[in-house]
Amino acid sequence: MKLPIVAYGDPVLKKVCAPIEQEYPDLKQLISNMYETMYNAHGVGLAAPQIGLAIRLFIVDTGADEDENAFKRTFINAEILEETGEPWAFNEGCLSIPDIREDVMRKPNIRIRYYDENWELHEEEITGMPARVIQHEYDHIQGKLFTDTLSLLRKRMLKSKLDAISKGNVKADYKMRFPQQSRRR
Ligand code: NI
């Protein structure tokens, strides 16, 4: 089942998310719904707060186009243990912030500990683009968006566009939930 994606401005996107337990209700179904939602929106990552849940869960699949080198993982209760290397810039976007892309600096190497969808514990070193996608999604479960990392000037320049997104004045080719959309009856 595809879920609506929460748009910029919703308080759930600002929450530091809570860890979950193995008994979390319908977790398998939730994860499967998140993959369906992400693929439908042509995203490479999706975090639980983006579908309205403040829990430490996110998914990554960098190979939506049947790329053999695709990196696909489900991250539960993830903790980034270390980030190393010379920061590099990449033009990032976010399914919660349609139509805005900005250069974001991130370190290229990470070490991360997490549970997968079968509750097996992993500690992995990841580098390059998959690491970047993980850092972006990890920020989501820490209550951070890529726009938070921008300079004050850049933020000011984007303000009216971001306000418009919160109000639902933006086009996305997937279903969204807007925090400030007036409800008409
Ligand atoms: Ni995002």
Side-chain angles (χ1 to χ4, degrees), residues 144-158:
K144 258 177 75 181
L145 300 172
F146 80 86
T147 46
D148 297 335
T149 68
L150 304 175
S151 71
L152 242 109
L153 177 67
R154 206 62 210 130
K155 275 188 217 168
R156 221 171 284 154
M157 289 170 74
L158 288 172

Side-chain angles (χ1 to χ4, degrees), residues 50 93-96 136-137 140:
Q50 294 184 277
C94 179
L95 295 176
S96 294
H136 177 113
E137 301 311 323
H140 273 300

Side-chain angles (χ1 to χ4, degrees), residues 8-24:
Y8 180 92
D10 192 299
V12 74
L13 296 176
K14 297 239 143 194
K15 283 194 181 146
V16 178
C17 296
I20 55 170
E21 315 235 309
Q22 234 164 307
E23 295 72 37
Y24 191 87

Side-chain angles (χ1 to χ4, degrees), residues 1 4-5 8 13 15 18 26 39 45 47 52-53 81 90 92 106 109 128 137 143 149 157 160 168 170 176 181:
M1 189 179 73
I5 294 178
Y8 180 92
L13 296 176
K15 283 194 181 146
D26 300 322
Y39 292 138
L53 297 172
L81 305 170
F90 184 80
E92 292 189 18
R106 297 190 191 272
N109 315 306
E137 301 311 323
T149 68
M157 289 170 74
S160 63
V170 68
M176 295 194 79
Q181 194 164 45

Side-chain angles (χ1 to χ4, degrees), residues 5-164:
I5 294 178
V6 168
Y8 180 92
D10 192 299
V12 74
L13 296 176
K14 297 239 143 194
K15 283 194 181 146
V16 178
C17 296
I20 55 170
E21 315 235 309
Q22 234 164 307
E23 295 72 37
Y24 191 87
D26 300 322
L27 184 59
K28 282 240 142 77
Q29 188 60 51
L30 171 63
I31 291 169
S32 145
N33 289 345
M34 283 177 67
Y35 274 104
E36 195 183 335
T37 302
M38 177 179 76
Y39 292 138
N40 175 65
H42 305 288
V44 291
L46 184 72
Q50 294 184 277
I51 47 124
L53 297 172
I55 58 174
R56 298 185 79 79
L57 164 65
F58 62 86
I59 59 173
V60 170
D61 188 352
T62 63
D65 304 319
E66 292 165 28
D67 176 358
E68 286 172 15
N69 302 315
F71 177 96
K72 181 180 175 183
R73 301 271 194 290
T74 301
F75 294 86
I76 300 171
N77 297 346
E79 293 292 338
I80 290 184
L81 305 170
E82 201 177 22
E83 294 178 293
T84 56
E86 202 53 43
W88 62 296
F90 184 80
N91 205 241
E92 292 189 18
C94 179
L95 295 176
S96 294
I97 317 175
D99 280 350
I100 292 185
R101 298 192 74 93
E102 290 289 325
D103 278 353
V104 179
M105 300 291 289
R106 297 190 191 272
K107 291 182 178 174
N109 315 306
I110 62 166
R111 196 152 58 81
I112 188 167
R113 185 191 295 147
Y114 64 97
Y115 290 90
D116 65 20
E117 63 275 36
N118 302 312
W119 287 95
E120 291 198 32
L121 186 62
H122 300 265
E123 196 175 308
E124 242 186 299
E125 285 180 27
I126 299 159
T127 189
M129 192 51 77
R132 174 172 291 270
V133 179
I134 290 167
Q135 288 161 319
H136 177 113
E137 301 311 323
Y138 188 81
D139 277 353
H140 273 300
I141 63 166
Q142 298 289 80
K144 258 177 75 181
L145 300 172
F146 80 86
T147 46
D148 297 335
T149 68
L150 304 175
S151 71
L152 242 109
L153 177 67
R154 206 62 210 130
K155 275 188 217 168
R156 221 171 284 154
M157 289 170 74
L158 288 172
K159 188 172 184 309
S160 63
K161 246 180 135 178
L162 289 168
D163 288 347

